[in-house]
Amino acid sequence: MSRTRTALLAAMALVAGAAGTAYAAVPGDVGAAAVPCTVVYQVQNQWDTGFTAAVTVTNLGAAKSSWAVKWSYAGNQRVTSGWNAKVTQSGSNVTAANESYNGTLATGGSASFGFQGTYSGSNAIPATFTLDGVTCNVDGGGPTDPTDPTDPTGPGDRVNNPYSGAKVYVNPEWSAKAAAEPGGNRIAGQPTGVWLDRIAAINGVNGGMGLRDHLDAALAQKGSGELVIQLVIYNLPGRDCAALASNGELGPTEIGRYKTEYIDPIAAILADAKYASLRIVTTVEIDSLPNLVTNTGSRATATPQCDVMKANGNYVKGVGYALNKLGDVGNVYNYVDAGHHGWIGWDDNFGASADVFHDAATAEGATPSDVHGFITNTANYSALKENNFTINDSVAGKSARESKWVDWNRYVDELGFAQAFRNELVSTGFGTNIGMLIDTSRNGWGGTARPAGPGATTSVDTYIDGGRYDRRIHIGNWCNQSGAGLGERPKAAPETGIDAYVWMKPPGESDGASKAIPNDEGKGFDRMCDPTYTGTPRNGNNLTGALPDAPVSGHWFSAQFQQLMRNAYPTLP
């Protein structure tokens, strides 16, 4: 459902990777009165094998005459030299101790130092910092602290990763449809997202289950253990301004209705003490905020509808309001939609999108502490991990970034993008403990078309095209893609910084109709769902790659479901 941006100019210079910053909690973030210290860790420069970083520590406790900051690396980073501190390393553990001239650290005082290091692979920002043995960037807890695990009744019930040690809710309505398909029983027990895509969905549509029905069913599935239920919050005013297939019921200016008729009732239900034992994951407003970066202004991809939403601010206001109200419920975990690598992975979209997310997280009473994490690839098809090529490959004298497929993007798959974007989000002011979700419901790309190795080295294009798992005609194609397959099964904590792989988009539910179909859901006909359409600047004016005979978005599409099972990777039993 997500869009892409137009190609960067071919003459664009290759530049070093974007810097990442670990930003500490600040007063107002998470019960900040009890935060003992903060650490800001910033990668200032980064190249293929090395980097420089700057660190600032602020002491919020008793004054000190000497100090030592410590952290551990998850990767293979090695410190080679430092300045303004004695920086040493043992294994993955780093210690930065004061010099003789900067040992005094008053209450509220700060000290800064820097270092140079080497790395290979990823250069992830450390998750935890200590000052003289005390953990920084988190507070000491308390009965009203949102991160306090000792409070059994309120927001303190939140855990770092809601998926760890928990089952995940199986939607009975989706499960029944899957089981009714030939071979569908193989996946009918998988957990999927519950989409609240209009006001009527709160109470149930056409006799179907409403929000309370799903929560009650989740309690029954929970038993004595922990259980996550996944909800998709998806009804912004002027929804999905760059497409038609997933337009919504609310007009661009109906922010009042969004608040009072949609978010407020949802928040009231979720706050019912009956459901306090559930871990409620909300994925907030997919296909919204990145549009304000990629599809506005003078860009070739701009649409009048997105310009309107940027001008009136109702995307930012709506997301902020949702984060604020839902974040007040102690067992709700808000994950904001963060597009995918083929949408905001380019240099001119990457940091700008993170800034917009932070704007939304500080709007309408929200704060970054209302955001538990972010989700990428929701309802999209980007491959989880491309193993046959990397962004650093060079073929026939050209970088992989120069290929038509990569098109100067800095990322080639969702895992690399999600981990890097997490660091960028932290750098804008989100907490260092945020986690990422990746929707793997339709990005497996298995079957007979899955390549076993790289393509021919005749040119950079033959190399990339012959080896890529993602078989779309263009990475901007998003509707009911031909050849797609089920991806990795839902799984908790599969990689560093990733809270879970999830199936937020229920496999078998259409992205949009392949021809105009009248409906009462506010969903239009988007030519990107028409297999005969030759496209727009967002997909390089290519064919759409969409399956024929598709129903309205969200409706059951048997042919797609069968294809997804047939092309699953890992394969189905």
Side-chain angles (χ1 to χ4, degrees):
M1 298 175 66
S2 298
R3 265 41 79 197
T4 186
R5 40 92 72 210
T6 51
L8 290 174
L9 295 176
M12 178 180 178
L14 294 174
V15 295
T21 307
Y23 181 79
V26 296
D29 269 1
V30 280
V35 173
C37 49
T38 65
V39 171
V40 176
Y41 175 111
Q42 182 176 16
V43 176
Q44 295 186 311
N45 296 289
Q46 182 171 302
W47 54 98
D48 288 346
T49 60
F51 68 102
T52 61
V55 181
T56 298
V57 56
T58 301
N59 174 36
L60 300 177
K64 297 175 179 292
S65 58
S66 64
W67 52 266
V69 175
K70 296 184 179 182
W71 66 86
S72 297
Y73 283 119
N76 60 358
Q77 297 99 321
R78 298 292 304 180
V79 173
T80 57
S81 61
W83 48 92
N84 293 333
K86 301 181 180 73
V87 187
T88 58
Q89 184 169 353
S90 176
S92 62
N93 301 316
V94 178
T95 299
N98 65 274
E99 296 283 7
S100 59
Y101 54 80
N102 63 356
T104 300
L105 202 55
T107 302
S110 298
S112 297
F113 59 91
F115 63 91
Q116 182 167 316
T118 62
Y119 78 102
S120 63
S122 63
N123 186 21
I125 291 171
T128 304
F129 300 86
T130 64
L131 173 62
D132 297 336
V134 177
T135 301
C136 298
N137 304 339
V138 297
D139 65 22
T144 61
D145 174 14
T147 61
D148 178 14
T150 65
D151 175 15
T153 59
D157 292 334
R158 289 196 186 103
V159 295
N160 185 53
N161 181 354
Y163 290 86
S164 292
K167 298 184 295 184
V168 186
Y169 175 65
V170 177
N171 181 346
E173 293 183 311
W174 175 83
S175 182
K177 293 175 183 176
E181 292 279 346
N185 62 314
R186 293 174 294 173
I187 64 167
Q190 292 290 351
T192 55
V194 174
W195 286 58
L196 302 172
D197 63 353
R198 47 191 149 150
I199 293 168
I202 299 171
N203 293 319
V205 178
N206 298 325
M209 297 174 70
L211 177 55
R212 282 193 179 275
D213 297 320
H214 284 293
L215 294 169
D216 290 340
L219 288 176
Q221 291 183 23
K222 178 182 181 297
S224 59
E226 299 293 343
L227 184 133
V228 170
I229 180 170
Q230 304 171 127
L231 306 177
V232 179
I233 307 301
Y234 187 48
N235 199 32
L236 272 179
R239 188 177 74 191
D240 214 351
C241 58
L244 296 173
S246 46
N247 286 168
E249 64 185 348
L250 299 179
T253 63
E254 293 189 280
I255 187 69
R257 289 191 64 200
Y258 177 78
K259 293 177 178 180
T260 61
E261 298 181 38
Y262 182 69
I263 293 298
D264 287 353
I266 291 173
I269 293 172
L270 299 186
D272 189 330
K274 178 181 181 181
Y275 307 120
S277 65
L278 296 172
R279 298 178 182 178
I280 302 171
V281 165
T282 60
T283 56
V284 178
E285 296 298 352
I286 64 171
D287 291 342
S288 60
L289 296 175
N291 278 312
L292 302 181
V293 174
T294 64
N295 296 319
T296 57
S298 61
R299 296 199 184 208
T301 54
T303 70
Q305 295 89 341
C306 289
D307 282 332
V308 167
M309 298 317 300
K310 183 173 183 177
N312 68 26
N314 283 343
Y315 275 9
V316 169
K317 293 174 186 175
V319 171
Y321 189 84
L323 293 173
N324 180 21
K325 293 299 181 180
L326 300 175
D328 286 343
V329 183
N331 55 318
V332 166
Y333 300 77
N334 286 321
Y335 289 80
V336 179
D337 182 72
H340 57 92
H341 88 275
W343 188 1
I344 59 176
W346 283 269
D347 293 334
D348 53 349
N349 298 341
F350 194 77
S353 294
D355 290 340
V356 170
F357 296 149
H358 190 266
D359 290 343
T362 53
E364 300 291 310
T367 71
S369 64
D370 289 315
V371 179
H372 202 79
F374 292 79
I375 181 169
T376 78
N377 207 45
T378 312
N380 208 263
Y381 298 86
S382 295
L384 178 66
K385 177 64 178 173
E386 292 282 10
N387 292 320
N388 294 329
F389 65 95
T390 75
I391 203 67
N392 299 314
D393 291 350
S394 181
V395 177
K398 290 191 174 183
S399 160
R401 293 189 72 200
E402 297 179 72
S403 68
K404 292 179 181 178
W405 175 255
V406 178
D407 189 26
W408 296 97
N409 201 321
R410 196 168 293 282
Y411 303 95
V412 300
D413 54 37
E414 281 308 293
L415 180 58
F417 166 74
Q419 291 174 321
F421 197 54
R422 177 188 177 278
N423 292 343
E424 183 70 16
L425 290 159
V426 169
S427 79
T428 68
F430 290 100
T432 57
N433 289 329
I434 58 170
M436 306 296 286
L437 306 177
I438 301 177
D439 188 346
T440 60
S441 60
R442 305 183 302 179
N443 70 348
W445 295 102
T448 57
R450 186 178 178 87
T457 56
T458 310
S459 70
V460 70
D461 287 321
T462 58
Y463 177 75
I464 299 295
D465 288 341
R468 58 183 169 93
Y469 298 142
D470 188 335
R471 307 311 299 169
R472 285 179 289 179
I473 297 170
H474 189 276
I475 203 167
N477 288 347
W478 53 268
C479 192
N480 301 323
Q481 289 300 284
S482 176
L486 300 168
E488 289 284 346
R489 313 307 178 250
K491 180 181 180 182
E495 296 281 351
T496 301
I498 310 299
D499 280 353
Y501 297 150
V502 297
W503 282 8
M504 203 58 66
K505 173 70 172 181
E509 291 189 1
S510 173
D511 294 321
S514 52
K515 60 183 179 181
I517 299 176
N519 65 88
D520 61 358
E521 302 172 31
K523 296 170 182 175
F525 168 50
D526 196 304
R527 290 296 303 277
M528 289 300 291
C529 299
D530 176 357
T532 69
Y533 185 49
T534 53
T536 71
R538 293 187 198 94
N539 80 328
N541 297 108
N542 287 286
L543 286 169
T544 65
L547 293 170
D549 303 319
V552 170
S553 64
H555 290 218
W556 190 254
F557 190 8
S558 177
Q560 184 199 54
F561 184 80
Q562 289 295 328
Q563 173 193 264
L564 292 173
M565 291 195 298
R566 186 166 58 251
N567 293 334
Y569 191 89
T571 58
L572 295 176

